[in-house]
């Protein structure tokens, strides 16, 4: 959803409006899993590791950087 808010015309867009659930502080896994339109089952199980996704850019996501 953050990428969809970009002014970059080539940025991926969400396919439809999504319901954004409130964040639950007691949730394990990725803190965005309940609100992410591309979340995987692993996203709800464990916090993803931080990794480099480009020059000076870090991400913490179970998905491959090219699919984001």
């Amino acid at each position: 959803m953050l990428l969809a808010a970009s002014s970059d015309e080539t940025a991926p867009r969400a396919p439809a409006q999504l319901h954004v659930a409130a964040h639950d502080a007691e949730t394990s896994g990725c803190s965005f899993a309940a609100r992410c339109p591309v979340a995987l089952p692993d996203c709800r199980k464990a916090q993803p590791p931080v990794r480099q996704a480009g020059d000076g850019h870090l991400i913490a996501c179970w998905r491959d950087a090219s699919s984001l």
Side-chain angles (χ1 to χ4, degrees):
M1 287 185 282
L2 181 60
L3 289 173
S6 170
S7 61
D8 181 357
E9 293 296 322
T10 63
R13 304 287 184 213
Q17 286 204 340
L18 304 169
H19 170 72
V20 179
H23 175 66
D24 181 0
E26 300 299 320
T27 303
S28 63
C30 178
S31 59
F32 293 100
R35 299 173 280 163
C36 179
V38 293
L40 301 169
D42 285 345
C43 300
R44 290 172 178 80
K45 295 177 186 173
Q47 190 71 4
V50 176
R51 57 194 161 97
Q52 188 150 355
D55 190 28
H57 297 279
L58 299 174
I59 63 169
C61 186
W62 288 113
R63 289 196 170 271
D64 182 89
S66 65
S67 68
L68 296 175

